[in-house]
């Protein structure tokens, strides 16, 4: 039973990852492009918006109580957090809860 539950959990996580990738490809071509400087202003301090970037997409996390005032534990909004996710207790599935509102200019 445990092995089956583990397999199902792994399968669901992989299906979730594939949905995120499909949405990512679709959204990238329809979203406005923002620079790192523009993203940095959406830190919950300089402007009321709270945005973060992950894998080239910018997400609006303003409505999350976990991002109040632009801070989520030791992470600050207004920046690319792609490399920070490795240390997070969650995976990239968490971005399903937020709207992608732009693409980060590379």
């Amino acid at each position: 039973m445990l092995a089956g539950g583990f397999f199902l959990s792994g399968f669901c996580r992989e299906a979730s990852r594939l949905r995120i990738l499909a949405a990512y490809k679709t959204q990238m071509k329809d979203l406005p492009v923002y620079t790192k400087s523009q993203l940095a202003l959406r830190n919950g301090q300089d402007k009321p918006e709270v945005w973060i970037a992950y894998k080239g997409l910018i997400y609006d996390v303003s409505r999350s109580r976990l991002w109040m005032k632009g801070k989520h534990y030791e992470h600050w909004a207004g920046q690319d957090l792609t490399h920070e996710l490795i240390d997070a207790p969650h995976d990239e599935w968490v971005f399903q809860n937020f709207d992608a509102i732009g693409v980060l200019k590379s």
Side-chain angles (χ1 to χ4, degrees):
M1 183 76 167
L2 181 60
F6 178 76
F7 174 76
L8 184 57
S9 173
F11 177 77
C12 290
R13 195 170 286 198
E14 179 65 14
S16 175
R17 188 180 73 76
L18 292 174
R19 275 196 311 277
I20 290 169
L21 288 174
Y24 177 81
K25 289 177 183 176
T26 301
Q27 290 173 340
M28 293 243 350
K29 62 184 173 188
D30 298 330
L31 294 173
V33 177
Y34 295 96
T35 65
K36 287 185 179 184
S37 297
Q38 290 171 307
L39 173 62
L41 290 174
R42 276 57 177 207
N43 59 15
Q45 308 279 320
D46 297 316
K47 292 192 179 245
E49 299 97 347
V50 182
W51 293 359
I52 59 171
Y54 177 71
K55 290 190 176 180
L57 281 178
I58 297 174
Y59 293 91
D60 185 347
V61 296
S62 303
R63 65 178 189 207
S64 173
R65 66 178 176 75
L66 297 175
W67 278 99
M68 287 294 201
K69 299 184 182 174
K71 188 172 182 194
H72 176 61
Y73 297 100
E74 72 272 7
H75 307 291
W76 289 95
Q79 56 187 316
D80 184 354
L81 299 178
T82 302
H83 299 292
E84 306 285 328
L85 194 70
I86 295 166
D87 298 326
H90 53 74
D91 206 343
E92 62 187 11
W93 56 263
V94 74
F95 293 102
Q96 290 180 359
N97 299 320
F98 302 105
D99 297 324
I101 49 89
V103 175
L104 184 60
K105 184 176 182 179
S106 50

